[in-house]
């Protein structure tokens, strides 16, 4: 597990887990004292000033990394078409994270089917501007056909729970980077995972980390379960409360 990054979608600290994040500072600073990565979902809904990213980067340890979600204007409104200007603006903002920008998350709408020319055009445009890790979360079944393009442009495909399409139960795409997004079970976004699920997950993450960089993000944040699941994944012996 030493090569595995485990974190949450956001750095809120529910009251029941506060004792596991001791010390002074902002929520992000306290969060980063225990967990080594975080997924920024707010960038999907609205832009953040470059100065905000600079401040976030300065407040975490050197080995901490951020995953930043690509804006919905690019993925859901423009649907991956004619995105050069939008990508330039987005990357000029989150690029202020510097070396702490761990990856970009591209989540697609369920209605967006795979089209070779559109997908290749978008990934080419993105790769002209960004050489780091990129993870894709497609939610239309036709993206099963995208594997050759994902390999060619070094785009990982996220493993997702609950699964939306046939190819997202395990990480896919480019094998140099593997990314899990876990939304809670049985109630999506709310419920915590069982001890048995997390024990099996740790085995999967450790196995994947033998030849790739591995991330695991808990997005069951609506009831605060993500924080507990992340803690139980990195330190199962601590057994923070459910």
């Amino acid at each position: 597990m030493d090569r595995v990054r485990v974190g949450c979608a956001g750095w809120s600290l529910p009251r029941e887990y506060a004792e596991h994040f001791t010390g002074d500072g902002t929520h992000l600073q306290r969060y980063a004292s225990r967990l080594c990565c975080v997924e920024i979902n707010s960038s999907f809904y609205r832009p953040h000033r470059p100065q905000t990213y600079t401040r976030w980067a300065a407040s975490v340890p050197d080995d901490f990394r951020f995953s930043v979600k690509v804006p919905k204007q690019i993925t859901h409104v423009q649907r991956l078409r004619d995105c050069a200007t939008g990508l330039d603006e987005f990357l000029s903002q989150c690029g202020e994270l510097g070396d702490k920008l761990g990856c970009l998350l591209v989540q697609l709408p369920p209605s967006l089917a795979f089209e070779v020319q559109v997908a290749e055009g978008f990934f080419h445009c993105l790769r002209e501007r960004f050489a780091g890790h990129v993870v894709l979360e497609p939610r239309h079944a036709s993206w099963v056909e995208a594997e050759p393009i994902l390999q060619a442009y070094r785009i990982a495909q996220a493993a997702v729970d609950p699964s939306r399409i046939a190819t997202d139960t395990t990480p896919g795409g480019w094998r140099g980077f593997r990314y899990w997004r876990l939304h809670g079970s049985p109630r999506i976004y709310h419920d915590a995972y069982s001890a048995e699920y997390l024990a099996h997950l740790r085995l999967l993450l450790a196995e994947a980390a033998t030849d790739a960089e591995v991330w695991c993000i808990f997005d069951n944040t609506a009831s605060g379960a993500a924080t507990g699941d992340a803690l139980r994944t990195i330190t199962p012996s601590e057994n923070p409360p459910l």
Side-chain angles (χ1 to χ4, degrees), residues 28-40:
L28 176 56
Q29 288 172 318
R30 293 171 60 207
Y31 171 100
S33 70
R34 292 299 310 276
L35 299 171
C36 63
C37 67
V38 73
E39 187 180 275
I40 299 175

Side-chain angles (χ1 to χ4, degrees), residues 22-30:
T22 58
D24 299 323
T26 66
H27 275 213
L28 176 56
Q29 288 172 318
R30 293 171 60 207

Side-chain angles (χ1 to χ4, degrees), residues 81-203:
R81 298 175 182 269
D82 302 319
C83 295
T85 299
L87 284 173
D88 285 340
E89 292 174 354
F90 170 63
L91 291 170
S92 71
Q93 296 156 8
C94 69
E96 290 299 312
L97 291 171
D99 292 341
K100 294 172 185 174
L101 175 54
C103 69
L104 302 180
L105 168 64
V106 182
Q107 184 190 65
L108 302 182
S111 62
L112 185 58
F114 174 67
E115 296 181 49
V116 173
Q117 290 183 334
V118 174
E120 191 160 18
F122 173 74
F123 291 134
H124 178 77
C125 185
L126 177 58
R127 280 303 184 203
E128 285 185 321
R129 293 159 170 79
F130 182 73
H133 291 316
V134 177
V135 59
L136 177 73
E137 185 182 335
R139 292 184 287 172
H140 190 283
S142 61
W143 281 83
V144 67
E145 303 172 17
E147 184 70 16
I149 288 179
L150 300 184
Q151 295 288 351
Y153 287 94
R154 295 180 295 108
I155 309 295
Q157 181 176 324
V160 181
D161 183 77
S163 173
R164 270 82 170 210
I165 61 176
T167 58
D168 68 1
T169 57
T170 59
W174 184 60
R175 304 300 289 174
F177 186 61
R178 301 179 199 178
Y179 197 102
W180 273 256
R181 296 193 82 223
L182 307 177
H183 301 295
S185 178
R187 282 191 309 158
I188 188 171
Y189 302 123
H190 287 269
D191 286 344
Y193 287 97
S194 67
E196 293 76 14
Y197 181 95
L198 295 179
H200 180 62
L201 175 66
R202 283 192 293 273
L203 294 177

Side-chain angles (χ1 to χ4, degrees), residues 223-235:
S223 299
T227 308
D229 281 347
L231 291 171
R232 278 186 291 275
T233 300
I234 62 171
T235 53

